[in-house]
Amino acid sequence: MKQHTLAGAIAHTGVGLHSGVSTHVRILPADTGSGRYFVRVDLPDAPIIPAQVAAVNQTVLSTQLGKGEACVRTVEHLLAALAGMGVDNARIEIDGSELPLLDGSAKDWVKSIAEVGLVAQPVTENLPSLDIQEPIWIYQDDAFVAAIPAQETRFSYGIDFDLPAIGNQWHSWSLHTEPEQSANFAEEVAPARTFGLLHQIEYLQKSGLIKGGNLDNALVCGPDGWVNPPLRFANEPVRHKILDLVGDLSLLGYFPRAHFLAYKASHNLHIQLAQRILALSN
């Protein structure tokens, strides 16, 4: 069996969705078995924050990881890009507490990964793996996320909004993490941008959130339709939810063979499912 890391370094600079602060990120090759991990190079002793389920310490409108006093927020898009493109091991250096939102999707991360390429890393010991044997359900009111036994790893998501421009949407996507098969992630999921509802923006800003959000890095929908069209896909919002789910479940370090099914879910429910799966594997 083999793992993969980057063949060279990647760098991007941009503003964080919630903080509104600009940060610089460098992604570097990492050793076999080291996994994906963040390094806060702006802090004394450059603390390392592993991209693991156990490090999650907040899930309010994004996923935040922390270790000790150090944290890094809105990690889901970059982690989805790395996992979806088959990057098992990566050192992610960042000089602040929130990842750049870039254009609101994972497209720029994926483009950079594809440009630099991957290198294979031989593995001398068995890698962790888990096939889901019985359905696992996490739910809150009518929202849920589940892992169901399946022959392949698949992600299916549904959303339902009162706004006519969004309405009820479903999308399903099968994961192929081998580098030569990663094009489907790059084309079908990575370009889907984050989205927000026009009537919620003022409340979220007053709550200290989405300080870095704008019409260049997020789709905004109101009662009369999309404020900043065109969309990249007719169902771009639900595809972005799949992007978020892939990023959150990548914190397991590998994707179990299962059909992951979600409806109206959240980062909090995603992480609860990952915690349940992790408990089963131990």
Coordinates of all heavy atoms in Angstrom, one line a residue, residues 160-197:
D160 N -32.8 21.9 2.1 CA -34.2 22.4 1.8 C -34.3 23.8 2.4 O -34.2 24.0 3.6 CB -35.2 21.5 2.4 CG -36.6 21.7 1.9 OD1 -36.8 22.6 1.0 OD2 -37.5 21.0 2.4
F161 N -34.5 24.8 1.5 CA -34.7 26.2 2.0 C -36.0 26.8 1.4 O -36.4 26.4 0.3 CB -33.5 27.0 1.5 CG -32.2 26.8 2.2 CD1 -31.4 25.7 1.8 CD2 -31.8 27.6 3.3 CE1 -30.2 25.5 2.5 CE2 -30.6 27.3 3.9 CZ -29.8 26.3 3.5
D162 N -36.6 27.7 2.2 CA -37.8 28.4 1.7 C -37.6 29.2 0.5 O -38.5 29.5 -0.2 CB -38.4 29.2 2.9 CG -38.9 28.3 4.0 OD1 -39.3 27.2 3.7 OD2 -39.0 28.8 5.1
L163 N -36.3 29.7 0.3 CA -36.0 30.6 -0.8 C -36.2 29.8 -2.1 O -35.5 28.8 -2.3 CB -34.6 31.2 -0.7 CG -34.4 32.1 0.6 CD1 -33.0 32.4 0.8 CD2 -35.2 33.4 0.4
P164 N -37.0 30.3 -3.1 CA -37.2 29.6 -4.3 C -35.9 29.3 -5.1 O -35.9 28.2 -5.8 CB -38.2 30.5 -5.1 CG -38.8 31.3 -4.0 CD -37.8 31.5 -3.0
A165 N -35.0 30.2 -5.1 CA -33.7 30.0 -5.8 C -32.9 28.8 -5.4 O -32.1 28.2 -6.1 CB -32.9 31.3 -5.8
I166 N -33.1 28.4 -4.1 CA -32.4 27.2 -3.6 C -33.4 26.0 -3.5 O -33.2 25.0 -4.2 CB -31.8 27.5 -2.2 CG1 -30.9 28.6 -2.3 CG2 -31.1 26.2 -1.7 CD1 -30.3 29.0 -0.9
G167 N -34.4 26.1 -2.8 CA -35.4 25.1 -2.6 C -34.9 23.8 -2.1 O -34.0 23.8 -1.3
N168 N -35.3 22.7 -2.6 CA -34.9 21.4 -2.2 C -33.9 20.8 -3.3 O -34.2 20.8 -4.5 CB -36.1 20.4 -2.1 CG -35.6 19.0 -1.7 OD1 -35.2 18.2 -2.5 ND2 -35.7 18.8 -0.4
Q169 N -32.7 20.5 -2.8 CA -31.6 20.1 -3.7 C -31.0 18.8 -3.1 O -30.8 18.7 -1.9 CB -30.5 21.1 -3.9 CG -30.9 22.4 -4.5 CD -29.8 23.4 -4.6 OE1 -28.6 23.1 -4.4 NE2 -30.1 24.6 -5.1
W170 N -30.6 17.9 -4.0 CA -29.8 16.7 -3.6 C -28.7 16.5 -4.6 O -28.8 16.9 -5.8 CB -30.7 15.4 -3.7 CG -31.7 15.3 -2.5 CD1 -32.9 15.9 -2.4 CD2 -31.4 14.7 -1.3 NE1 -33.5 15.6 -1.2 CE2 -32.6 14.9 -0.5 CE3 -30.3 14.0 -0.7 CZ2 -32.7 14.3 0.8 CZ3 -30.4 13.5 0.5 CH2 -31.6 13.6 1.3
H171 N -27.6 16.0 -4.1 CA -26.5 15.6 -4.9 C -25.8 14.4 -4.3 O -25.7 14.2 -3.1 CB -25.5 16.7 -5.1 CG -24.5 16.5 -6.2 ND1 -24.9 16.5 -7.6 CD2 -23.2 16.2 -6.2 CE1 -23.8 16.2 -8.3 NE2 -22.8 16.1 -7.5
S172 N -25.2 13.5 -5.2 CA -24.5 12.4 -4.7 C -23.2 12.3 -5.5 O -23.1 12.5 -6.7 CB -25.3 11.1 -4.9 OG -24.7 10.0 -4.3
W173 N -22.1 11.9 -4.8 CA -20.8 11.9 -5.4 C -20.0 10.7 -4.8 O -20.0 10.5 -3.6 CB -20.1 13.2 -5.1 CG -18.6 13.2 -5.5 CD1 -18.1 13.3 -6.8 CD2 -17.5 13.1 -4.6 NE1 -16.7 13.3 -6.7 CE2 -16.4 13.2 -5.4 CE3 -17.4 13.1 -3.2 CZ2 -15.1 13.1 -4.9 CZ3 -16.1 13.0 -2.7 CH2 -15.0 13.0 -3.5
S174 N -19.3 10.0 -5.6 CA -18.4 8.8 -5.2 C -17.0 9.3 -5.1 O -16.5 9.9 -6.0 CB -18.5 7.7 -6.2 OG -19.8 7.1 -6.1
L175 N -16.3 8.9 -4.0 CA -14.9 9.3 -3.8 C -14.0 8.3 -4.5 O -14.1 7.1 -4.4 CB -14.7 9.3 -2.3 CG -13.2 9.5 -1.8 CD1 -12.9 11.0 -1.9 CD2 -13.0 9.0 -0.4
H176 N -13.0 8.9 -5.1 CA -11.8 8.1 -5.7 C -10.6 8.9 -5.3 O -10.3 10.0 -5.9 CB -11.9 8.0 -7.2 CG -13.1 7.3 -7.6 ND1 -13.3 5.9 -7.5 CD2 -14.3 7.7 -8.2 CE1 -14.5 5.5 -8.0 NE2 -15.1 6.6 -8.4
T177 N -9.8 8.4 -4.3 CA -8.7 9.2 -3.8 C -7.4 8.9 -4.5 O -6.4 9.6 -4.2 CB -8.5 9.0 -2.2 OG1 -8.4 7.5 -2.0 CG2 -9.7 9.5 -1.5
E178 N -7.3 7.9 -5.3 CA -6.1 7.7 -6.1 C -5.8 8.9 -6.9 O -6.7 9.4 -7.6 CB -6.2 6.4 -6.9 CG -6.1 5.2 -6.1 CD -4.9 5.0 -5.3 OE1 -3.8 5.3 -5.8 OE2 -5.0 4.7 -4.1
P179 N -4.6 9.4 -7.0 CA -4.3 10.7 -7.7 C -4.8 10.7 -9.1 O -5.3 11.7 -9.6 CB -2.8 10.7 -7.6 CG -2.4 10.0 -6.4 CD -3.4 8.9 -6.3
E180 N -4.7 9.5 -9.8 CA -5.1 9.5 -11.2 C -6.6 9.6 -11.3 O -7.2 9.7 -12.4 CB -4.6 8.3 -11.9 CG -5.1 7.0 -11.4 CD -4.2 6.4 -10.3 OE1 -3.4 7.2 -9.7 OE2 -4.3 5.2 -9.9
Q181 N -7.4 9.4 -10.2 CA -8.8 9.4 -10.3 C -9.4 10.6 -9.6 O -10.6 10.7 -9.4 CB -9.4 8.2 -9.6 CG -9.0 6.9 -10.3 CD -9.5 5.6 -9.5 OE1 -9.4 5.6 -8.3 NE2 -10.1 4.7 -10.2
S182 N -8.6 11.6 -9.2 CA -9.0 12.7 -8.5 C -9.7 13.8 -9.3 O -10.3 14.8 -8.7 CB -7.9 13.4 -7.7 OG -6.9 13.8 -8.6
A183 N -9.8 13.7 -10.6 CA -10.4 14.7 -11.5 C -11.8 14.9 -11.1 O -12.4 16.0 -11.3 CB -10.2 14.3 -12.9
N184 N -12.5 13.8 -10.7 CA -14.0 13.9 -10.5 C -14.2 14.9 -9.3 O -15.2 15.6 -9.3 CB -14.6 12.6 -10.3 CG -14.2 11.9 -9.0 OD1 -13.2 12.2 -8.4 ND2 -15.0 10.9 -8.6
F185 N -13.3 14.8 -8.3 CA -13.5 15.8 -7.2 C -13.2 17.2 -7.7 O -13.9 18.1 -7.3 CB -12.5 15.4 -6.0 CG -12.5 16.4 -4.9 CD1 -13.5 16.3 -3.9 CD2 -11.6 17.4 -4.8 CE1 -13.5 17.3 -2.9 CE2 -11.6 18.3 -3.8 CZ -12.6 18.3 -2.8
A186 N -12.1 17.4 -8.4 CA -11.8 18.7 -8.9 C -12.9 19.3 -9.8 O -13.0 20.5 -9.8 CB -10.5 18.6 -9.7
E187 N -13.6 18.5 -10.5 CA -14.6 19.0 -11.4 C -16.0 19.1 -10.8 O -16.8 20.0 -11.1 CB -14.7 18.1 -12.7 CG -13.4 18.1 -13.5 CD -13.3 17.0 -14.5 OE1 -14.3 16.3 -14.6 OE2 -12.3 17.0 -15.2
E188 N -16.3 18.1 -9.9 CA -17.7 18.0 -9.5 C -18.0 18.7 -8.1 O -19.1 19.1 -7.8 CB -18.1 16.5 -9.4 CG -18.2 15.8 -10.7 CD -18.6 14.4 -10.5 OE1 -19.4 14.1 -9.6 OE2 -18.2 13.5 -11.3
V189 N -17.0 18.7 -7.3 CA -17.2 19.2 -5.9 C -16.4 20.5 -5.5 O -16.9 21.4 -5.0 CB -16.9 18.1 -4.9 CG1 -17.1 18.5 -3.5 CG2 -17.7 16.9 -5.2
A190 N -15.1 20.4 -5.9 CA -14.2 21.5 -5.4 C -14.7 22.9 -5.9 O -14.5 23.9 -5.1 CB -12.8 21.3 -6.0
P191 N -15.2 23.1 -7.0 CA -15.6 24.5 -7.4 C -16.8 25.1 -6.7 O -17.1 26.3 -6.9 CB -15.9 24.4 -9.0 CG -15.2 23.1 -9.4 CD -15.4 22.2 -8.2
A192 N -17.6 24.3 -6.0 CA -18.8 24.8 -5.4 C -18.5 25.7 -4.2 O -17.8 25.4 -3.3 CB -19.6 23.6 -4.9
R193 N -19.1 26.9 -4.3 CA -18.8 28.0 -3.3 C -19.7 28.0 -2.1 O -20.9 27.6 -2.2 CB -18.8 29.3 -4.0 CG -17.8 29.5 -5.1 CD -18.1 30.7 -6.0 NE -19.3 30.3 -6.8 CZ -19.8 31.2 -7.7 NH1 -19.4 32.4 -7.8 NH2 -20.8 30.8 -8.5
T194 N -19.2 28.5 -1.0 CA -20.1 28.7 0.2 C -21.2 29.7 -0.2 O -21.1 30.5 -1.1 CB -19.2 29.2 1.3 OG1 -20.0 29.1 2.5 CG2 -18.8 30.7 1.1
F195 N -22.3 29.6 0.5 CA -23.4 30.4 0.3 C -24.0 30.9 1.6 O -23.9 30.3 2.6 CB -24.4 29.7 -0.6 CG -25.1 28.5 0.1 CD1 -26.3 28.7 0.7 CD2 -24.5 27.3 0.1 CE1 -26.9 27.6 1.3 CE2 -25.1 26.2 0.8 CZ -26.3 26.4 1.4
G196 N -24.7 32.1 1.5 CA -25.4 32.7 2.6 C -26.7 33.2 2.2 O -27.0 33.4 1.0
L197 N -27.6 33.5 3.2 CA -28.9 34.0 3.0 C -28.9 35.5 3.3 O -28.5 35.9 4.4 CB -29.9 33.2 3.8 CG -29.9 31.7 3.7 CD1 -31.0 31.1 4.6 CD2 -29.9 31.2 2.3

